[in-house]
């Protein structure tokens, strides 16, 4: 059943790309509009997604402990895999495409893409929403510290401030105290629903943006570079297998292990492209990795669920 559910939800998520692609091809919008759409996504929808995830669950000591453990494990496993890749390519790290591998194979779209899938796969386990939230936090911490260093090769661009002061952390800073207070039981349902609606906009808006970007990309170029396949394979297959087998034998709940696998199997994070563009680290390759990994994840996520 998990195979069919995951396949259906991945395909529905990918379906959101189509309207963006069509209106892009019809010249009703352009990539020039994407910064505004991305700002809405990052500064409004993403914090609301994290906040609504925490407001959707009841406080419990066990839940808090598992949430903390999920954060620690994802932080360690992402950093460990990045280190393994860095050690493997360090002699070629002068080339941007190899530096991009270190980040692109690990950091994923765990919020926008991963949350709807784990919720669909585990409808009786609302705590999976909190796992997605804390995974987003651990990913952002690495993105703005180790990730930036890997992309640039220079420590001066590492920013602990950016790792802590970003929209994802804002959602956590507001939502976590409310979770501890059991706010789900006393906040007005209308307010909670409003936050949830804004958070749920994240996935379709993210996919619409990708669709518009895809409409402006030369498809032969998208599929032509071998590096894009290497990074996509690493992100969609090797990294999720690494994380799953790292926790497989640990005495942890099924929902915990399933969330670890599915969230780790999400496509390359779009934030990787943003940083690559900012630091001039082969932005075209990074954009193609985000696009191709998103298009191909329907071939990888459903088979991975058979491991559960």
């Amino acid at each position: 059943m998990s195979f069919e559910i995951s396949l259906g939800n991945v395909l529905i998520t990918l379906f959101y790309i189509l309207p963006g692609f069509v209106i892009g091809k019809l010249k009703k919008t352009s990539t020039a509009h994407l910064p505004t759409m991305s700002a809405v996504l990052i500064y409004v929808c993403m914090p609301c997604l994290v906040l609504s995830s925490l407001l959707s669950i009841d406080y419990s000591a066990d839940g808090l402990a598992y949430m903390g453990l999920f954060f620690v494990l994802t932080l360690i496993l992402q950093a460990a895999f990045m280190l393994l890749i860095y050690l493997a390519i360090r002699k070629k790290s002068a080339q941007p495409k190899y530096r991009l591998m270190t980040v692109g194979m690990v950091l994923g779209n765990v919020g926008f893409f991963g949350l709807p899938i784990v919720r669909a796969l585990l409808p009786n386990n609302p705590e999976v929403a909190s796992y997605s939230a804390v995974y987003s936090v651990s990913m952002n911490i690495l993105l703005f510290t180790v990730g930036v260093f890997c992309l640039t090769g220079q420590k001066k661009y590492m920013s602990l401030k950016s790792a802590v002061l970003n929209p994802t952390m804002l959602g956590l800073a507001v939502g976590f105290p409310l979770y501890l207070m059991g706010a789900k039981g006393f906040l007005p349902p209308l307010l909670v629903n409003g936050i949830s609606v804004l958070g749920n906009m994240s996935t379709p808006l993210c996919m619409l943006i990708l669709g518009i970007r895809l409409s402006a990309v030369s498809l032969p170029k998208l599929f032509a570079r071998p590096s894009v396949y290497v990074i996509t394979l690493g992100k969609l297959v090797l990294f999720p297998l690494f994380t799953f087998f790292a926790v497989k034998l640990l005495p942890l709940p099924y929902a915990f292990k399933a969330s670890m696998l599915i969230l780790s199997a999400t496509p390359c994070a779009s934030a990787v492209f943003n940083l690559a563009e900012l630091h001039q680290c082969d932005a075209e390759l990074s954009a193609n990795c985000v696009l191709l990994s998103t298009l191909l994840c329907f071939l990888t996520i459903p088979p991975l669920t058979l491991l559960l």
Side-chain angles (χ1 to χ4, degrees):
M1 180 61 73
S2 59
F3 181 92
E4 290 83 359
I5 294 173
S6 61
L7 178 60
N9 278 270
V10 169
L11 290 176
I12 286 294
T13 303
L14 291 177
F15 174 76
Y16 297 140
I17 291 178
L18 186 59
F21 181 80
V22 171
I23 63 173
K25 285 296 185 184
L26 294 175
K27 308 299 182 184
K28 299 299 181 183
T29 187
S30 73
T31 54
H33 301 141
L34 295 185
T36 299
M37 296 176 67
S38 296
V40 174
L41 176 65
I42 293 169
Y43 293 104
V44 178
C45 298
M46 188 60 201
C48 287
L49 181 64
V50 173
L51 180 55
S52 66
S53 298
L54 294 170
L55 291 178
S56 68
I57 53 177
D58 295 309
Y59 169 79
S60 72
D62 286 345
L64 179 61
Y66 282 127
M67 196 187 307
L69 181 60
F70 202 93
F71 170 78
V72 171
L73 284 177
T74 53
L75 189 67
I76 291 173
L77 292 174
Q78 288 175 101
F81 201 75
M82 290 173 75
L83 178 61
L84 289 174
I85 300 168
Y86 178 77
L87 293 175
I89 59 93
R90 67 186 185 280
K91 293 181 180 180
K92 300 178 180 179
S93 61
Q95 300 180 51
K97 66 179 180 180
Y98 289 107
R99 297 202 304 270
L100 186 62
M101 284 182 186
T102 311
V103 181
M105 285 186 174
V106 179
L107 305 181
N109 201 342
V110 298
F112 308 140
F113 205 100
L115 179 56
I117 297 173
V118 291
R119 273 179 166 167
L121 282 171
L122 301 160
N124 298 319
N125 298 91
E127 68 272 17
V128 300
S130 68
Y131 296 155
S132 174
V134 297
Y135 202 152
S136 295
V137 173
S138 68
M139 189 206 75
N140 273 277
I141 289 174
L142 288 173
L143 176 67
F144 289 105
T145 53
V146 180
V148 173
F149 173 73
C150 290
L151 285 174
T152 63
Q154 300 183 52
K155 293 182 180 180
K156 67 179 182 179
Y157 293 114
M158 297 172 67
S159 174
L160 186 59
K161 179 180 178 181
S162 297
V164 175
L165 299 179
N166 60 68
T168 300
M169 291 297 290
L170 174 62
L172 184 70
V174 175
F176 191 66
L178 292 174
Y179 163 73
L180 294 177
M181 293 186 293
K184 179 184 176 182
F186 64 78
L187 284 181
L190 196 61
L191 174 61
V192 174
N193 184 61
I195 294 171
S196 177
V197 169
L198 286 173
N200 289 338
M201 286 170 55
S202 299
T203 300
L205 183 56
C206 179
M207 295 299 106
L208 284 170
I209 290 171
L210 284 176
I212 295 169
R213 189 175 298 281
L214 183 62
S215 71
V217 169
S218 167
L219 293 182
K221 284 187 177 181
L222 176 61
F223 295 102
R225 297 181 65 176
S227 299
V228 75
Y229 293 101
V230 175
I231 295 172
T232 297
L233 175 66
K235 182 65 198 77
L236 297 183
V237 179
L238 300 182
F239 180 60
L241 289 176
F242 171 78
T243 58
F244 178 71
F245 286 110
V247 301
K248 180 177 172 59
L249 298 179
L250 298 178
L252 296 168
Y254 172 82
F256 189 104
K257 295 179 182 180
S259 298
M260 183 71 72
L261 174 65
I262 300 304
L263 293 173
S264 297
T266 53
C268 299
S270 55
V272 171
F273 163 69
N274 296 331
L275 282 181
E277 189 173 43
L278 177 65
H279 295 290
Q280 300 179 342
C281 182
D282 206 334
E284 180 184 287
L285 176 61
S286 64
N288 289 351
C289 288
V290 173
L291 291 170
L292 190 64
S293 62
T294 302
L295 293 174
L296 295 184
C297 68
F298 80 96
L299 295 176
T300 57
I301 293 179
L304 285 171
T305 62
L306 298 176
L307 294 171
L308 300 173

